[in-house]
Amino acid sequence: MTDEPGQIRVMVVDDHPMWRDAVARDLAAAGYSVVATAGDGPQAVRRARATAPDVLVLDLNLPGLPGVEVCKELVGSLPGLRVLVLSASGEHADVLEAVKSGATGYLLKSAGAQELLDAVGRTAAGEPVFTPGLAGLVLGEYRRLASDPEPAAPDEPGAPRLTDRETEVLRLVAKGLSYKQIAERLVISHRTVQNHVQNTLGKLQLHNRVELVRYAIERGLDDA
């Protein structure tokens, strides 16, 4: 995924026309390629499949089909799609449901314009982006789920084998480090970190970095 805004294809989904148009306008002014907008759930699914955006900026409260269902419908079926939820709700249940549905990040609508623009770029790069305070909530939930995980058998025949470097990057991802921090820690480039993460996602058949963090926590890599 490129880091250049002009090469990042974005779709904006919100049932309030003025808000939807304002977000799309801000993104376009910042150089992002806004390929579509939608005002309800079914329309969002259709248009996303037709335009194949890199990032879906998605509201949760949509007529016709809730945002979490839109997320479930599209994540995995559209290769490379990442979802940034932009919602007025900061309720913990909404945040966790969105992440479990495949969202890469969750931003409140109270965020500033520049925060949103930065979040879209980071989401496109595969980094989980959360309104302050929500990242800890998500990590805590995954730790809770991992306290009684399904039996893991990483050494069973046919299990994916990661390189030493991929495992090292995975450990740092599980500890919550950003790509930039991982690059500095391992003295490698930001792009190399991204490549290792993408290779690991492919080997483990996972869809996004949030799923990757859960995989790592379930196997205790965050404590390694």
Side-chain angles (χ1 to χ4, degrees):
M1 176 68 64
T2 179
D3 294 323
E4 294 299 323
Q7 296 180 5
I8 297 174
R9 297 161 53 82
V10 185
M11 178 175 167
V12 180
V13 181
D14 197 290
D15 64 330
H16 291 91
M18 289 182 64
W19 177 268
R20 180 175 69 240
D21 293 346
V23 171
R25 194 163 49 244
D26 286 348
L27 289 168
Y32 290 101
S33 176
V34 179
V35 296
T37 62
D40 61 49
Q43 186 181 66
V45 172
R46 291 195 304 272
R47 292 186 178 177
R49 286 177 173 160
T51 58
D54 300 310
V55 177
L56 190 69
V57 178
L58 178 69
D59 188 19
L60 293 182
N61 188 20
L62 298 173
L65 190 68
V68 291
E69 295 302 325
V70 172
C71 199
K72 289 176 183 177
E73 285 270 347
L74 295 175
V75 172
S77 66
L78 288 180
L81 175 69
R82 284 155 182 151
V83 177
L84 174 64
V85 170
L86 184 61
S87 174
S89 171
E91 292 294 326
H92 290 182
D94 290 336
V95 178
L96 294 176
E97 187 177 13
V99 172
K100 290 173 184 177
S101 298
T104 302
Y106 195 108
L107 209 61
L108 295 181
K109 286 185 174 180
S110 57
Q114 190 57 51
E115 188 177 356
L116 172 61
L117 298 176
D118 292 342
V120 170
R122 291 173 59 197
T123 299
E127 294 193 38
V129 181
F130 294 93
T131 291
L134 298 184
L137 166 72
V138 174
L139 191 60
E141 174 69 3
Y142 280 154
R143 288 184 188 279
R144 185 189 69 77
L145 292 173
S147 65
D148 187 24
E150 295 180 2
D155 297 324
E156 68 182 7
R161 300 185 65 85
L162 303 180
T163 67
D164 289 343
R165 180 62 91 181
E166 287 167 349
T167 301
E168 193 172 15
V169 169
L170 181 56
R171 285 196 182 103
L172 296 177
V173 167
K175 290 177 183 293
L177 273 67
S178 68
Y179 288 174
K180 180 180 179 181
Q181 290 170 323
I182 294 172
E184 292 172 351
R185 176 78 65 89
L186 300 181
V187 195
I188 56 180
S189 72
H190 183 280
R191 179 67 64 186
T192 299
V193 174
Q194 285 183 299
N195 288 340
H196 283 311
V197 171
Q198 289 302 315
N199 290 341
T200 302
L201 286 171
K203 287 182 178 181
L204 300 179
Q205 297 185 332
L206 301 175
H207 298 124
N208 54 52
R209 180 170 157 163
V210 176
E211 292 183 3
L212 195 63
V213 169
R214 179 176 179 180
Y215 174 93
I217 289 174
E218 286 178 344
R219 285 152 181 79
L221 292 177
D222 58 320
D223 294 324

